[in-house]
Amino acid sequence: MFEKEIIIDGKGHIFGRLAAIVAKELLSGQRIIVVRAEQLVLSGSLFRRKLDYEAWRRIKHQTNPKRNGPWHFKAPARLFWRAVRGMLPRKTARGEKALERLKVFEGIPFPYNTRKRRVVPQALRVIRLASVRKSCVMGDLSEKIGWNNGDLVKKLEEKREAKAAEYFKSKTKVQNLIQKEVEKVDAVKTIRAKLAELGY
């Protein structure tokens, strides 16, 4: 059964592996939203990845460099979107529809900050990349190549995390109060005593 939408938290996921898994799910009809694209991980050092990007950036239109790309994105969300696009048959109707089912964001914007986010174990850096191997974060690479919104995203993320911590604190406080009131009820005490006798 398909879920309406799956929200994936990109933090700590390997860029290419996550892109491959997302592309496969999109083709099967699933809607996917990837948040915190700036926290995606690339294997290899930041210096090497920057060299790779610069080499790609030198590629121009075959006959007239002023026309029609290729377009070299700088934002982490757009780079991830482009990687997924390359794994889809985008010039067919099926691939076009699959790409429409994908959304990618830096940070965690409003509608998705209150909803359950998931990880993809097959793409996590701690599972898939040996600890001795070098890696870099997508946001750092994007800032090196000219992405200017990194500071703004960090600032908004700090605000969001502070608000989430405050909400969690108030939620646990209410839950603890409810738990204390429940424990005072005699019926609950007798039920728990019977369960304890039965080994629960």
Side-chain angles (χ1 to χ4, degrees):
M1 289 293 290
F2 293 118
E3 295 183 36
K4 191 174 180 183
E5 284 176 335
I6 289 178
I7 301 166
I8 297 172
D9 190 345
K11 187 179 180 182
H13 288 78
I14 296 173
F15 184 91
R17 282 184 183 271
L18 184 63
I21 292 162
V22 166
K24 193 174 180 183
E25 288 296 317
L26 291 169
L27 283 170
S28 67
Q30 183 64 60
R31 289 185 178 278
I32 295 179
I33 293 143
V34 180
V35 295
R36 287 213 275 193
E38 78 282 359
Q39 295 289 332
L40 287 165
V41 175
L42 293 163
S43 58
S45 67
L46 181 60
F47 179 72
R48 285 182 69 93
R49 294 287 74 83
K50 187 170 180 283
L51 289 180
D52 289 344
Y53 183 86
E54 293 300 336
W56 175 55
R57 200 171 177 186
R58 282 192 290 273
I59 297 169
K60 297 207 183 327
H61 191 277
Q62 197 169 14
T63 54
N64 186 352
K66 292 177 183 177
R67 281 174 53 199
N68 294 337
W71 308 113
H72 302 97
F73 297 120
K74 295 175 184 176
R78 295 304 286 165
L79 286 166
F80 183 78
W81 176 87
R82 194 180 191 283
V84 173
R85 187 188 72 173
M87 297 176 186
L88 294 171
R90 67 190 176 91
K91 293 185 180 181
T92 65
R94 180 175 176 238
E96 200 178 318
K97 291 286 181 191
L99 197 58
E100 285 173 12
R101 289 191 283 270
L102 174 67
K103 289 181 183 177
V104 190
F105 299 100
E106 289 101 11
I108 307 176
F110 161 66
Y112 310 114
N113 63 346
T114 56
R115 291 172 58 191
K116 184 179 179 181
R117 297 180 291 278
R118 300 183 181 196
V119 296
V120 181
Q122 302 97 307
L124 284 171
R125 188 193 68 80
V126 291
I127 295 171
R128 286 299 184 181
L129 198 65
S131 58
V132 294
R133 297 291 178 194
K134 290 181 180 177
S135 63
C136 65
V137 178
M138 196 68 216
D140 294 342
L141 175 65
S142 289
E143 283 177 13
K144 290 270 183 190
I145 60 178
W147 180 54
N148 299 322
N149 295 329
D151 293 334
L152 177 63
V153 169
K154 283 172 193 166
K155 187 179 170 184
L156 291 170
E157 277 296 287
E158 283 168 13
K159 266 175 101 174
R160 182 192 63 78
E161 284 168 9
K163 199 173 177 182
E166 196 178 306
Y167 168 75
F168 180 74
K169 194 177 176 182
S170 64
K171 187 181 171 184
T172 48
K173 190 178 178 183
V174 170
Q175 283 177 339
N176 291 339
L177 287 169
I178 291 166
Q179 191 64 32
K180 281 178 186 175
E181 291 300 317
V182 166
E183 284 170 6
K184 289 178 186 176
V185 179
D186 293 330
V188 173
K189 287 178 184 175
T190 54
I191 290 166
R192 284 188 179 163
K194 285 177 184 176
L195 287 170
E197 285 171 21
L198 296 168
Y200 290 102

